[in-house]
Amino acid sequence: MKVLKFGGTSVGSAERIQNLTRIIPTTTPCVVVLSAMAGVTNNLEKCISYAKETKLNEAKGMLQLVEQMHLETCNNLFSTSKYKMRGKEYVKKMFGDMYLKLDGFSARPAKEILAMGESLSTQFLHLYFTEQGVNTALIPALQFMRVDKDGEPDYLYITENLSRILDTCTGINVIITQGFVCKDTKGEIDNLKRGGSDFTAAIIGNAINASEVQIWTDIDGFHNNDPRFVENTLPIRDLSFDEAAELAYFGAKILHPSTIHPCREKDIPVILKNMLRPSDIGTTITSTHKHGGIKAIAAKDGITAIRIKSLRMLMAYGFLKKIFDVFNENETPVDLITTSEVAVTLTIDNTENLTSITKALGEFSSVEIVQNQTIICVVGDFLAENPGMASKVFNSLNDTPISLISYGGSLHNITLLVNKDSKIQALRALQNIVSVPEPANH
Ligand code: ASP
Ligand code: MG
């Protein structure tokens, strides 16, 4: 069984939803995971922040905007008045409940409001298929998707409940469910964090031992550089799980980084496809590592570097532990790290607890904070038996000031830190050394 996930732009209009019925195979069984229509989760987040500031009129206004958009989609999506009505009734019911929840607002309905977008998009696709005479099942993600106390998927619960539900769907090939939403350990509505529908697809893939997980967006797979800043980027046809994880984590927007782990665990290929050009083969991510020089570049903004220096570190043990304890206690993940004998520089992207981190580090070292940094991740074959690769990277960056280099952590990438202002220059310079991907041949 395959899992197919369609993101916000793939369900972003009536026409796009109609288009899905041409892409989704109806003769073999598959699970279809949908995001909310493009922009909806952002607007629901805005509604929630208004509600938290007790700006109830603004919050209602925002909900009205989202409601209107869905009502208009009903008009254009369905061709018969019966289905237009069924769609609109569903929308009105959902929003009616939410307007009520805004009064007396507390943290709990926030997650319920945020979960609405996926309920609406999946209901639309289900109704549209039904109007077209295709038998589909809509299974609520809240009946099987659950995270544990650490926010990690509870695979036992998910596998058990999902397979029980799927057993009731025999004879139905298209099984539709919501991405992003889940329950927490208390059974309350939660979510897998922004962009989490890809993760949903991967978790389902893992739970049902899918033959593949397809992620459909509006670009033909992972490009070898960031197409927003660099011209003539090309899609890469094959990546290993490791390479894709680095690219996804360090900025390539096409795939949520959490998607890789559940699929790698069961060796399930992840295929990135373009719904605007379904015939394109896209990018296939598997456990196979294909050699190919410098394969791809990605960049991640909003990085803070922390420079920690202490003479006490000289020939002392336990110093790094002390540093990492601080980040551990402040629940802040560290991305890059380089060390010298008396200094350590590391980077974080979550600065929520920066003040407390700085204070704690300051008790045993001097600390310098450098903001507005960008990580540049260069993925390629940086194996020891493949000399000359690193020099290629640094030669091309002759004119770019580099403030940190991380090399040797994996055999698949070199990661650098530059000032945000140097990002575009660096990406363009690196494009000169990136390999031309193999043409589509499978
Ligand atoms: N709708 C959610 C979001 O916008 C989940 C997703 O799109 O993957 O973050
Ligand atoms: Mg997405």
Side-chain angles (χ1 to χ4, degrees):
M1 200 169 187
K2 292 181 182 174
V3 179
L4 282 69
K5 179 261 170 178
F6 296 91
T9 49
S10 309
V11 290
S13 66
E15 208 191 337
R16 289 275 171 100
I17 299 173
Q18 288 163 345
N19 196 24
L20 290 193
T21 58
R22 286 185 279 277
I23 292 175
I24 297 167
T26 53
T27 49
T28 47
C30 65
V31 177
V32 175
V33 176
L34 298 187
S35 294
M37 293 178 77
V40 167
T41 314
N42 283 346
N43 283 340
L44 295 174
E45 263 193 345
K46 283 185 200 153
C47 162
I48 291 161
S49 40
Y50 282 135
K52 282 184 179 156
E53 295 163 27
T54 62
K55 292 181 177 159
L56 283 191
N57 282 340
E58 283 88 341
K60 282 195 179 143
M62 198 45 83
L63 267 195
Q64 272 159 359
L65 199 83
V66 183
E67 179 178 12
Q68 201 47 42
M69 172 192 175
H70 283 93
L71 289 173
E72 270 162 31
T73 306
C74 279
N75 269 338
N76 301 326
L77 177 61
F78 304 110
S79 45
T80 58
S81 50
K82 178 177 162 199
Y83 278 85
K84 281 185 207 285
M85 214 157 73
R86 280 181 69 177
K88 285 182 185 173
E89 271 168 11
Y90 182 80
V91 175
K92 293 224 165 99
K93 165 95 185 62
M94 288 285 287
F95 282 86
D97 288 349
M98 289 304 147
Y99 290 122
L100 291 178
K101 290 206 162 99
L102 281 183
D103 297 321
F105 187 79
S106 67
R108 192 159 162 246
K111 298 236 168 109
E112 284 175 38
I113 291 175
L114 218 51
M116 281 171 71
E118 274 71 13
S119 300
L120 289 153
S121 61
T122 47
Q123 182 70 20
F124 279 5
L125 181 65
H126 175 56
L127 281 178
Y128 182 67
F129 262 124
T130 314
E131 189 184 39
Q132 299 300 306
V134 180
N135 199 8
T136 62
L138 176 56
I139 61 169
L142 294 178
Q143 287 181 8
F144 63 87
M145 192 56 79
R146 190 170 85 169
V147 289
D148 64 20
K149 61 177 185 356
D150 302 317
E152 294 295 325
D154 181 346
Y155 280 105
L156 258 178
Y157 179 94
I158 295 166
T159 308
E160 215 176 278
N161 284 281
L162 182 55
S163 62
R164 184 180 39 78
I165 297 168
L166 290 180
D167 282 348
T168 65
C169 300
T170 36
I172 302 174
N173 283 335
V174 182
I175 316 241
I176 304 167
T177 194
Q178 299 85 23
F180 179 58
V181 301
C182 62
K183 284 204 167 163
D184 64 14
T185 41
K186 291 189 217 115
E188 285 173 7
I189 297 185
D190 204 339
N191 61 61
L192 299 171
K193 314 256 158 48
R194 292 303 309 272
S197 298
D198 292 359
F199 193 22
T200 303
I203 298 167
I204 293 178
N206 180 301
I208 64 171
N209 286 311
S211 56
E212 64 186 49
V213 170
Q214 299 178 359
I215 307 284
W216 288 78
T217 63
D218 50 7
I219 181 165
D220 355 301
F222 261 115
H223 273 222
N224 58 4
N225 205 325
D226 194 327
R228 289 168 300 177
F229 308 110
V230 180
E231 280 176 16
N232 303 323
T233 62
L234 288 168
I236 313 162
R237 298 316 182 177
D238 300 281
L239 280 174
S240 68
F241 286 125
D242 287 339
E243 292 167 333
E246 300 282 355
L247 288 173
Y249 185 71
F250 289 124
K253 285 277 169 287
I254 186 168
L255 185 69
H256 193 286
S258 308
T259 315
I260 302 294
H261 180 64
C263 294
R264 186 207 322 246
E265 216 178 50
K266 296 271 180 90
D267 207 5
I268 301 167
V270 178
I271 304 178
L272 308 182
K273 296 271 291 174
N274 183 358
M275 71 163 301
L276 304 177
R277 291 204 311 141
S279 59
D280 189 278
I281 60 160
T283 300
T284 301
I285 305 165
T286 60
S287 50
T288 310
H289 177 84
K290 287 205 179 164
H291 296 284
I294 288 171
K295 287 195 194 163
I297 328 286
K300 184 176 179 182
D301 291 330
I303 302 298
T304 298
I306 306 179
R307 298 190 180 282
I308 305 153
K309 207 170 158 186
S310 172
L311 282 177
R312 272 194 261 166
M313 192 174 164
L314 196 66
M315 298 194 314
Y317 58 84
F319 192 80
L320 286 177
K321 177 178 183 306
K322 267 175 110 170
I323 293 179
F324 284 118
D325 281 347
V326 170
F327 288 89
N328 202 13
E329 278 149 26
N330 284 283
E331 295 178 358
T332 301
V334 170
D335 286 333
L336 303 184
I337 170 157
T338 51
T339 70
S340 82
E341 184 51 41
V342 292
V344 176
T345 297
L346 43 78
T347 70
I348 59 171
D349 70 347
N350 178 352
T351 50
E352 221 173 285
N353 298 325
L354 185 59
T355 319
S356 135
I357 290 170
T358 314
K359 187 164 169 275
L361 292 172
E363 283 169 19
F364 57 92
S365 51
S366 73
V367 184
E368 188 196 345
I369 306 292
V370 191
Q371 267 155 336
N372 271 329
Q373 301 294 292
T374 293
I375 287 177
I376 308 275
C377 173
V378 184
V379 162
D381 287 330
F382 295 101
L383 313 168
E385 58 270 26
N386 213 358
M389 296 289 286
S391 76
K392 261 189 180 178
V393 171
F394 294 114
N395 283 338
S396 77
L397 292 174
N398 243 344
D399 300 322
T400 310
I402 299 170
S403 51
L404 181 157
I405 299 165
S406 171
Y407 177 36
S410 92
L411 302 174
H412 313 291
N413 63 309
I414 290 187
T415 317
L416 312 159
L417 195 67
V418 300
N419 200 300
K420 183 170 183 253
D421 300 338
S422 303
K423 172 177 87 172
I424 297 180
Q425 174 196 339
L427 289 178
R428 289 182 183 159
L430 288 163
Q431 185 66 4
N432 296 324
I433 56 159
V434 84
S435 316
V436 175
E438 276 178 50
N441 60 357
H442 55 96

